[in-house]
Amino acid sequence: MKVQRLLMNLRCGLPRQLVTDLFALQPLRAGITSHYLRRLNLCRHSCICILGRRLSSRGVIACSGIHDLIEDEWDGKNSGANLKDEFDALLVCKKYPSIIIGSSPTIELYDGTTSLSSAATQSCWGFPPDAVGANWGVPSRLCNTWSSLSVSLEEEKSSSQLPMEESVPSLLPNEPMPVPIGRLDRSVVEEESLDKVAAESDLVAASVDMILDRPISSLPGLTKRQCHLLEKNDFHTIRKLLNHFPRTYADLQNAHIGIQDGQYLISVGRILSSRGIRAGLSFSFLEVVVGCEIADDRSTWEHMNGDLDAKEKKTIYLHLKKFFRGTRFTSQSFLRILQEKHRVGDIVCVSGKVKSMSSEDHYEIREYNIDVLDDEEDPSLCTAGRPYPIYPSKGGLNPTFIRDIIQRALQTLSFGMDPIPKDVTQELGILCLRDAYMGIHQPKNIYEADSARKRLIFDEFFYLQLGRLFQMLEGLGTEIEKVGLLDKYRKPEMSPAYIEEWSRLTQKFLKILPYDLTTSQLSAVSEIISDLRRPVPMNRLLQGDVGCGKTVVAFLACMEVIGSGYQAAFMVPTELLAIQHYEHLLNLLEKLDIECRPSVALLTGATPSKQSRVIREGLQTGEISMVIGTHSLIAEKIEFSTLRIAVVDEQHRFGVVQRGRFNSKLYYNCVSSRTAAAHLDDPSRGDANMAPHVLAMSATPIPRTLALALYGDMSMTQITDLPPGRIPVETHVIEGNEQGFQKMYKMMFDELEAGGKIYLVYPVIEQSEQLPQLRAASADLEDISQRFKDYNCGLLHGKMKSDEKDEALRQFRSGDTNILLSTQVIEIGVDVPDASMMVVMNAERFGMAQLHQLRGRVGRGARKSRCILLASTAGSLTRLKVLENSTDGFHLANMDLLLRGPGDLLGKRQSGHLPEFPIARLEIDGNVLQDAHHAVLKVLGSSHDLERYPGLKAELSMRQPLSPLGD
Ligand SMILES: Nc1ncnc2c1ncn2[C@@H]1O[C@H](COP(=O)(O)OP(=O)(O)OP(=O)(O)O)[C@@H](O)[C@H]1O
């Protein structure tokens, strides 16, 4: 009776088949459990119990149905009694708290027809016997690297160490072979072959779901406490755990070729001392000295030959320092706690920028990471030549424990668990899912780690696009429409609107421009205008390198809608840029006849409230045709009369949500704008309630298909050429020593003498005690003014009031100031065409993409321009030299990858220019995205509703919705 009640209550939202099975007390099918019970918030453990197999401390217990479960429960309590009817459902609920009787909401599910073969069912809870390809043997001694540092370690073993040899029963006897790597000819793989693998995916569906989404408690050998710890830190499932990727990899052989000042070093060594030192009344510091054995510089040629053992070695000493200000940090107890955080003798991996100290082979690192590696018993430490994964810390979990538990989880993976059809992975030459997880966590070499990263990135892009296109297909009624949509993505069509078809206002605006548009500017405008004519909202990305002239293209698009009696909004990320665009547009419009001149307003956070109220009213009534501003344009109180286009400049700074807010800004009003009567081309506006068109602009070099990932169904227009007469900026990388500064001052003098204008860019506004090596804009103003007495200097930074900033830029533009000392506030969009030189102080502090953007502030006119990158250390010269040799944004993004190496790319992105994927970097992983796009079209082309790929469908439903894009 009570069992019936429990099942009744579980029924909400369950597919019919599952409920039938439950009522009939039949053994249940694995596919059903994975898809549906999870949606009722039942944790896997609970599901297992209901569905017939349960993991307990005794191992895997097989129950053939709910009968067995009840018997099992009852036997445990009341051995021998035959009182099943009196089994208390509450008992189950108490034991498995995620079963909430009677409170499960109805959940939208796919239809319940997904069925899985019995073979798949069998594989559910077993671990394949041969799942671990890489066998990490346990050598008897630590590798040679440690020999000279062999201070014996305490024998103490971490409680987190897990037994490695535990045998686990297997229910999946025949594992498919691993997918071979190698790119095949795409055309060879036809869609029919996908059909063949569809059946295989049925099996896979169960595998991936059952393997990756098992609760963490299903890992053998875990104690209750460890399990609780992991769950507390969000590692609820094997998937969650395996997606905790290494932050970087350490080279345990410390194969550095010399060490240069300012170099970012990752080194492994042993802690020699740890001291908390009181250095003043309110000042203390921690100093940890780590001794690392590295290859000696003098034997560099041997290193080149790869003969590491034959090389001479020497010990270097890294002094890790952390400073504390305040009297409370000087107490003895604090200092003791501080120094006890690090144990002398521990083997650690240290990373950070080094600075040489006065004694030879001693280096200081101030901003550092330190990770304790395993003790000498750890087999992975000794696997010579293998990159050693360094994991990001998580909720205070011991890194050794994280590493151990991940290795244990890897052993449960099987080759057949990949939901992506084998033909797709083979065609694209990417690893299978199991190899990717092995490769990222236990790479044999850095190339394997890189291939693994590629596959995982592929998945990020693949499921993102699959989800989007799948949803779009679902929304379409007929097969023809669906085929049409997929075709659109296969070959995006271009039907540009010719100049004669542009509105009269747009044509007039084109005529008053002081220059001719370049070919790609012209075709960009045509493409956009043709989109604006359609009765569906445009979603287009306008992309082009710095200074290629995107703004005027966007202005023309605005003129087109204004010419048809609508309004335009132009949103930019900074006030400075808003003012610049506003003034630029007003200057251009002055040349138009007054009667057809649109009214343009500027609205930023700094607009006085009275004026802002007038502007708001103007927008609401339609008096104002175009508004340029910052994010205040999407404030709730702003209402438009007939907003038809929203231009969003440098929109990586804004997210999907902000862009979407324009959609709610359409308050159609029959009163057309003031200018309408004068120049309306299209007075019959049948599409009045349509959401506005969106034109996003970006200067970040990204491949065409990346738009799909970033902007969903966004189309993309690229400006590929620069305005004529532009001379490439000449870049000089100079070391910032005394000699370097003198050279730089001389170049500045020459430039000023020749009538040029100079930007001096600084990493910080004020001098900082913590980072005394950084030059600061405010602090340098006096010195520069003294040095260049005959010239005027100005200052511009983010802390200034908006009118001060505006004034500083205005003076620089007009020539009242000749040198502008500034921070990176000028990075985006600032346009002073006759600025002819830029000097970047502490250039190594800036990312490559950022320097490329900064450099784009000069060379915007006909004058030959130069950019001087001053590097504080010799070590950073190599990276900066890349900028000396190239002005191509795509090339620079790729070089950035090569210079940093794949290991460092697993961490969070650094530049802040683009929204974050867990591990993908959009600037450089565009080709992977392209592959993913191709694969998605292929898969959906062969099965619009994914019915042939239940594994993919299940995986898609497991993944998070598309939320992280930029918001
Ligand atoms: N076809 C052209 N011929 C000559 N000059 C042009 C042309 N198009 C634009 N310009 C000028 O080039 C400069 C740069 O244009 P704009 O500011 O639009 O570039 P952008 O692509 O927005 O650059 P950024 O990404 O740096 O903001 C401006 O001074 C603009 O007036």
Side-chain angles (χ1 to χ4, degrees):
M1 269 294 291
K2 288 178 182 172
V3 176
Q4 295 273 329
R5 200 173 343 121
L6 168 69
L7 296 178
M8 284 296 285
N9 286 312
L10 279 174
R11 204 165 117 194
C12 322
L14 288 179
R16 206 178 314 122
Q17 183 59 55
L18 176 60
V19 176
T20 316
D21 281 359
L22 281 167
F23 272 100
L25 299 181
Q26 294 295 324
L28 296 165
R29 288 180 301 179
I32 295 176
T33 70
S34 62
H35 286 299
Y36 305 119
L37 287 187
R38 186 174 47 242
R39 305 194 177 222
L40 293 174
N41 276 336
L42 300 181
C43 77
R44 176 74 64 187
H45 204 66
S46 321
C47 300
I48 303 165
C49 292
I50 291 171
L51 297 169
R53 284 199 181 88
R54 183 160 69 94
L55 281 172
S56 76
S57 51
R58 284 170 283 158
V60 178
I61 296 176
C63 311
S64 59
I66 199 123
H67 283 304
D68 280 5
L69 165 71
I70 296 166
E71 232 153 317
D72 193 38
E73 289 296 332
W74 188 254
D75 283 353
K77 238 175 83 181
N78 233 342
S79 178
N82 189 16
L83 293 166
K84 282 176 207 160
D85 273 356
E86 284 179 45
F87 166 75
D88 191 350
L90 289 173
L91 186 82
V92 178
C93 302
K94 203 172 153 198
K95 187 155 184 182
Y96 309 109
S98 53
I99 300 181
I100 303 162
I101 291 192
S103 67
S104 307
T106 309
I107 294 159
E108 277 274 284
L109 298 166
Y110 297 130
D111 64 38
T113 53
T114 313
S115 68
L116 296 154
S117 71
S118 58
T121 315
Q122 276 193 354
S123 74
C124 298
W125 307 108
F127 305 138
D130 56 345
V132 188
N135 186 9
W136 290 41
V138 186
S140 53
R141 56 177 185 81
L142 270 175
C143 58
N144 294 339
T145 314
W146 315 109
S147 54
S148 71
L149 295 169
S150 56
V151 182
S152 70
L153 284 178
E154 294 167 48
E155 286 279 286
E156 182 196 66
K157 267 207 140 193
S158 155
S159 62
S160 60
Q161 293 280 308
L162 299 169
M164 297 294 286
E165 294 82 25
E166 192 168 338
S167 66
V168 189
S170 166
L171 298 172
L172 190 65
N174 297 318
E175 288 291 18
M177 288 304 288
V179 177
I181 303 169
R183 186 170 282 266
L184 304 178
D185 180 6
R186 271 179 201 187
S187 59
V188 175
V189 185
E190 298 298 332
E191 278 184 4
E192 295 92 75
S193 57
L194 285 177
D195 291 357
K196 275 188 252 151
V197 292
E200 269 176 51
S201 328
D202 276 6
L203 301 181
V204 161
S207 310
V208 68
D209 206 9
M210 298 302 155
I211 293 172
L212 285 183
D213 298 319
R214 274 196 330 261
I216 200 74
S217 55
S218 67
L219 274 185
L222 270 191
T223 65
K224 256 192 175 160
R225 198 182 67 84
Q226 288 169 336
C227 193
H228 176 69
L229 254 173
L230 287 166
E231 285 178 349
K232 215 175 87 188
N233 283 290
D234 210 26
F235 293 128
H236 292 282
T237 58
I238 307 280
R239 186 197 292 266
K240 287 243 174 194
L241 184 71
L242 290 179
N243 285 348
H244 188 67
F245 300 122
R247 169 162 54 78
T248 186
Y249 300 96
D251 171 9
L252 297 183
Q253 301 204 340
N254 284 344
H256 312 295
I257 309 173
I259 296 179
Q260 289 172 331
D261 239 13
Q263 173 187 340
Y264 187 84
L265 184 82
I266 303 182
S267 202
V268 178
R270 195 182 291 277
I271 295 184
L272 303 178
S273 72
S274 169
R275 295 183 305 155
I277 298 164
R278 186 174 171 206
L281 275 180
S282 61
F283 182 52
S284 66
F285 66 93
L286 167 72
E287 184 180 41
V288 181
V289 181
V290 178
C292 305
E293 197 175 70
I294 66 157
D296 198 348
D297 285 16
R298 284 158 292 204
S299 51
T300 303
W301 67 272
E302 281 156 335
H303 177 92
M304 291 307 207
N305 290 336
D307 190 2
L308 284 163
D309 286 339
K311 257 191 340 264
E312 283 187 26
K313 291 176 180 171
K314 67 171 179 179
T315 303
I316 57 159
Y317 301 88
L318 302 178
H319 297 247
L320 316 180
K321 288 189 182 162
K322 198 169 257 170
F323 297 89
F324 300 88
R325 271 187 194 284
T327 40
R328 67 203 164 104
F329 298 124
T330 55
S331 72
Q332 280 308 317
S333 56
F334 173 77
L335 295 175
R336 200 169 40 250
I337 294 169
L338 203 61
Q339 69 185 27
E340 282 171 3
K341 269 184 72 181
H342 302 279
R343 228 170 31 161
V344 173
D346 268 355
I347 295 170
V348 288
C349 174
V350 177
S351 54
K353 278 191 183 158
V354 290
K355 184 168 176 254
S356 30
M357 298 171 78
S358 46
S359 340
E360 199 184 342
D361 294 332
H362 285 252
Y363 298 89
E364 184 180 284
I365 308 186
R366 290 197 174 192
E367 289 169 59
Y368 59 85
N369 277 313
I370 180 165
D371 296 275
V372 180
L373 306 186
D374 294 338
D375 63 22
E376 297 184 29
E377 298 290 316
D378 179 20
S380 47
L381 261 185
C382 317
T383 317
R386 277 199 162 184
Y388 186 85
I390 306 285
Y391 289 96
S393 54
K394 179 101 177 184
L397 282 179
N398 178 340
T400 313
F401 174 57
I402 296 185
R403 225 177 340 255
D404 277 348
I405 201 74
I406 285 177
Q407 281 177 23
R408 183 157 294 271
L410 288 173
Q411 295 181 39
T412 69
L413 303 185
S414 77
F415 283 111
M417 65 178 223
D418 198 341
I420 295 188
K422 206 160 143 191
D423 278 24
V424 171
T425 50
Q426 278 183 338
E427 179 195 351
L428 298 173
I430 51 174
L431 296 181
C432 71
L433 189 58
R434 180 254 179 208
D435 283 353
Y437 277 122
M438 296 299 286
I440 207 97
H441 291 291
Q442 293 185 343
K444 292 193 192 77
N445 49 48
I446 207 72
Y447 303 106
E448 196 174 281
D450 191 39
S451 303
R453 177 183 167 272
K454 273 228 162 85
R455 162 63 209 250
L456 296 165
I457 287 167
F458 177 87
D459 278 19
E460 284 177 18
F461 290 146
F462 179 83
Y463 289 109
L464 187 75
Q465 295 182 69
L466 186 70
R468 280 207 161 119
L469 274 179
F470 179 70
Q471 275 171 3
M472 286 160 83
L473 287 175
E474 267 195 327
L476 297 176
T478 66
E479 281 303 296
I480 296 172
E481 281 175 329
K482 291 181 185 188
V483 171
L485 180 79
L486 292 176
D487 275 351
K488 181 184 151 199
Y489 281 102
R490 280 195 194 103
K491 19 181 169 42
E493 93 271 19
M494 271 246 307
S495 53
Y498 298 105
I499 297 181
E500 309 79 63
E501 295 167 19
W502 298 2
S503 76
R504 269 179 289 152
L505 179 64
T506 318
Q507 292 188 30
K508 280 183 185 163
F509 189 81
L510 182 70
K511 281 197 190 124
I512 57 163
L513 289 178
Y515 43 75
D516 291 332
L517 291 191
T518 63
T519 319
S520 59
Q521 277 174 319
L522 259 179
S523 66
V525 180
S526 304
E527 231 171 276
I528 294 166
I529 289 182
S530 120
D531 254 13
L532 296 178
R533 300 251 154 129
R534 296 214 208 138
V536 281
M538 170 184 82
N539 230 354
R540 196 168 268 281
L541 174 70
L542 175 62
Q543 199 247 308
D545 215 342
V546 278
C548 68
K550 296 179 287 290
T551 318
V552 71
V553 171
F555 282 165
L556 282 157
C558 294
M559 292 306 129
E560 182 68 18
V561 300
I562 297 169
S564 305
Y566 295 104
Q567 289 171 305
F570 200 127
M571 183 163 80
V572 294
T574 64
E575 201 181 326
L576 219 54
L577 202 51
I579 296 169
Q580 178 185 290
H581 283 345
Y582 175 69
E583 288 177 351
H584 183 188
L585 184 61
L586 285 194
N587 278 340
L588 292 173
L589 290 177
E590 257 176 22
K591 295 174 202 145
L592 272 187
D593 300 338
I594 187 94
E595 68 277 9
C596 62
R597 195 182 299 161
S599 59
V600 181
L602 172 73
L603 185 66
T604 68
T607 311
S609 55
K610 205 166 154 196
Q611 199 180 334
S612 133
R613 200 171 49 245
V614 175
I615 293 172
R616 284 204 312 271
E617 279 168 15
L619 290 172
Q620 209 173 359
T621 57
E623 280 293 299
I624 295 175
S625 308
M626 177 167 174
V627 61
I628 299 178
T630 51
H631 58 274
S632 22
L633 294 188
I634 48 173
E636 259 173 37
K637 44 191 180 187
I638 309 285
E639 292 179 4
F640 289 86
S641 156
T642 53
L643 178 64
R644 181 41 54 104
I645 189 169
V647 178
V648 188
D649 192 5
E650 286 297 342
Q651 64 97 54
H652 299 317
R653 309 270 158 145
F654 304 111
V656 177
V657 169
Q658 285 97 325
R659 225 166 46 222
R661 284 212 194 121
F662 275 113
N663 288 345
S664 61
K665 300 245 156 264
L666 185 72
Y667 294 88
Y668 183 67
N669 191 331
C670 285
V671 184
S672 67
S673 74
R674 180 172 67 79
T675 50
H679 55 269
L680 262 195
D681 281 352
D682 176 21
S684 57
R685 291 166 298 179
D687 48 2
N689 289 311
M690 194 180 83
H693 299 289
V694 172
L695 179 66
M697 301 206 294
S698 161
T700 310
I702 48 176
R704 176 170 278 267
T705 44
L706 216 51
L708 275 171
L710 279 170
Y711 314 106
D713 59 341
M714 248 190 182
S715 319
M716 186 155 161
T717 295
Q718 248 172 337
I719 301 183
T720 47
D721 49 16
L722 289 176
R726 292 273 170 90
I727 308 167
V729 180
E730 200 178 283
T731 306
H732 304 263
V733 178
I734 300 179
E735 192 181 339
N737 51 23
E738 187 50 40
Q739 212 181 350
F741 267 93
Q742 289 313 323
K743 187 172 170 189
M744 181 264 287
Y745 291 138
K746 164 92 178 57
M747 287 168 89
M748 283 177 66
F749 262 119
D750 292 348
E751 190 62 37
L752 290 167
E753 287 284 286
K757 286 182 192 171
I758 302 176
Y759 289 110
L760 271 179
V761 182
Y762 292 83
V764 287
I765 304 170
E766 308 280 358
Q767 198 89 48
S768 134
E769 275 186 32
Q770 243 72 11
L771 297 163
Q773 73 275 24
L774 295 190
R775 308 278 296 209
S778 294
D780 250 16
L781 181 62
E782 207 181 308
D783 178 46
I784 297 290
S785 305
Q786 284 291 322
R787 211 174 271 276
F788 299 93
K789 280 205 180 87
D790 297 338
Y791 300 94
N792 296 327
C793 297
L795 181 67
L796 178 68
H797 58 74
K799 281 196 184 157
M800 286 162 64
K801 288 194 194 128
S802 64
D803 51 345
E804 291 169 351
K805 278 192 273 189
D806 189 26
E807 186 53 28
L809 199 59
R810 202 189 304 276
Q811 287 188 0
F812 186 60
R813 194 169 277 132
S814 68
D816 290 346
T817 48
N818 314 86
I819 305 174
L820 184 64
L821 288 81
S822 160
T823 54
Q824 54 277 46
V825 280
I826 56 155
E827 180 191 334
I828 296 175
V830 167
D831 183 42
V832 180
D834 57 349
S836 52
M837 180 179 268
M838 169 170 286
V839 179
V840 184
M841 303 285 185
N842 300 101
E844 74 286 348
R845 301 288 298 189
F846 298 89
M848 205 100 101
Q850 210 175 5
L851 287 172
H852 181 58
Q853 280 279 337
L854 276 170
R855 181 171 60 177
R857 300 307 116 211
V858 292
R860 295 169 85 88
R863 199 184 162 90
K864 176 157 179 62
S865 304
R866 276 183 291 181
C867 175
I868 302 173
L869 304 175
L870 266 180
S872 344
T873 56
S876 48
L877 289 175
T878 323
R879 186 171 74 97
L880 296 175
K881 288 260 179 214
V882 175
L883 281 143
E884 210 173 52
N885 300 326
S886 173
T887 49
D888 176 352
F890 281 97
H891 173 72
L892 291 173
N894 279 324
M895 286 309 290
D896 210 11
L897 169 73
L898 288 175
L899 287 173
R900 280 195 229 173
D904 284 344
L905 295 173
L906 293 168
K908 284 275 172 198
R909 288 180 15 76
Q910 283 131 49
S911 75
H913 272 280
L914 291 166
E916 283 177 4
F917 281 85
I919 54 171
R921 287 192 41 180
L922 292 170
E923 315 95 303
I924 51 180
D925 294 320
N927 53 340
V928 182
L929 184 114
Q930 190 132 9
D931 283 350
H933 181 59
H934 169 80
V936 164
L937 288 174
K938 186 165 238 178
V939 165
L940 284 174
S942 92
S943 176
H944 293 160
D945 50 8
L946 287 183
E947 277 308 310
R948 288 187 197 170
Y949 306 103
L952 275 182
K953 202 167 171 179
E955 178 68 8
L956 198 58
S957 71
M958 274 307 297
R959 295 201 164 229
Q960 288 292 315
L962 318 167
S963 57
L965 294 184
D967 296 305

